[in-house]
Amino acid sequence: MEDVTEVRRFARADIDDFVKNRSKAFTKEKCAECGSAATKRFAGMMPFIVGQMLDSYWCNECGRVLCQAHRYQHTCERLDQQKERNKTLTREQLAAQMLEAEELKEAREAAVAEEERHRKEAWDDEVRLRKSRREIVAKKARKVEDFLQRYARDTDATAGLGPRVREELLDIFSRVRSIALRLYNELEQPTMPGIDEESWEIVKADYARAKEITGMFV
């Protein structure tokens, strides 16, 4: 017997949960119509923003998740049921229904345009959020750099640390200064979607070590 792949369907609450709490799995979801990647384009986007774009990948009538090509061109049981009902309609009823369908089409096109506007606004919001976080991290790194620079230049403060500890402090300062510059460059010419998490972790670790050495903090 030929295997029949069960169509995955999502109620509104289920698709909301899928997007919000299982975002990595969501971005790997296949189109229920053609089997191609349906949601890969949302990888890297914040879940709450993807949730605002629900109509662009989920059919609220049949519950399928679909790619862009099949979002409005797919197998839908409700549509099939409507076709069956059409067989019993008179010409007048069919004409009225066609007029209604045309009006619905126009409304749907308007909704798609509105969705595109919301998508652009959501993307702009995400860009602003990412830029804001990059700015916060860059400023914090610069504060750590300034703190280390002031302390490293204070010969009286570093005299009692010993040459090895002072050398370590200078190494930390050199590393943080380099990272702080890179994080500031990311503000104007970002090379990645978010912040440089690895570099930021190094700054935090170096700051923790500097506090341990000096007993001081920013």
Side-chain angles (χ1 to χ4, degrees):
M1 181 180 294
E2 184 179 353
D3 292 336
V4 178
T5 303
E6 183 179 355
V7 176
R8 284 166 60 85
R9 305 173 192 274
F10 298 85
R12 175 58 187 265
D14 294 331
I15 192 66
D16 285 342
D17 178 74
F18 195 21
V19 171
K20 180 180 179 182
N21 299 317
R22 293 181 290 150
S23 58
K24 287 187 178 180
F26 167 75
T27 57
K28 298 178 182 179
E29 188 69 14
K30 302 296 184 182
C31 174
E33 186 71 15
C34 67
S36 65
T39 53
K40 185 178 180 180
R41 65 187 187 277
F42 299 113
M45 294 182 65
M46 296 181 179
F48 85 92
I49 292 178
V50 178
Q52 294 176 1
M53 302 166 65
L54 187 65
D55 286 342
S56 67
Y57 54 81
W58 176 71
C59 177
N60 66 325
E61 295 184 342
C62 65
R64 287 175 169 86
V65 171
L66 302 139
C67 65
Q68 289 176 294
H70 292 107
R71 171 58 186 90
Y72 295 104
Q73 297 289 335
H74 64 276
T75 302
C76 186
E77 289 74 13
R78 291 187 64 177
L79 179 59
D80 292 341
Q81 291 170 4
Q82 184 61 48
K83 288 179 179 179
E84 288 299 318
R85 287 195 294 269
N86 287 349
K87 294 178 181 179
T88 63
L89 297 179
T90 64
R91 288 185 178 181
E92 291 76 11
Q93 290 173 323
L94 188 57
Q97 190 175 86
M98 290 176 65
L99 177 60
E100 181 182 3
E102 183 63 27
E103 292 174 347
L104 288 173
K105 179 183 177 183
E106 292 176 358
R108 185 165 59 245
E109 290 174 348
V112 170
E114 182 70 7
E115 175 64 27
E116 178 63 20
R117 185 179 68 82
H118 283 305
R119 186 198 66 77
K120 185 178 184 304
E121 290 178 351
W123 175 252
D124 290 343
D125 288 343
E126 183 172 357
V127 169
R128 282 192 291 270
L129 284 171
R130 288 176 174 176
K131 184 175 181 179
S132 176
R133 186 158 185 245
R134 284 195 295 267
E135 184 175 5
I136 290 171
V137 167
K139 287 182 177 179
K140 287 184 176 180
R142 181 60 59 82
K143 285 185 178 181
V144 174
E145 177 194 357
D146 291 343
F147 158 70
L148 290 168
Q149 185 177 42
R150 288 195 305 270
Y151 198 89
R153 289 179 175 178
D154 188 342
T155 55
D156 292 336
T158 58
L161 297 177
R164 292 181 61 184
V165 175
R166 188 172 186 278
E167 186 66 25
E168 180 184 0
L169 194 61
L170 289 173
D171 287 342
I172 291 174
F173 165 62
S174 178
R175 184 165 52 246
V176 170
R177 179 175 59 181
S178 176
I179 292 175
L181 177 60
R182 184 161 65 250
L183 292 176
Y184 254 94
N185 288 338
E186 284 288 314
L187 286 177
E188 298 302 325
Q189 296 180 323
T191 60
M192 57 187 68
I195 67 169
D196 186 344
E197 297 283 358
E198 183 178 352
S199 294
W200 176 231
E201 289 300 321
I202 292 173
V203 171
K204 290 192 291 184
D206 280 343
Y207 176 52
R209 175 56 180 158
K211 287 194 298 181
E212 181 182 351
I213 293 173
T214 65
M216 300 179 67
F217 56 89
V218 177

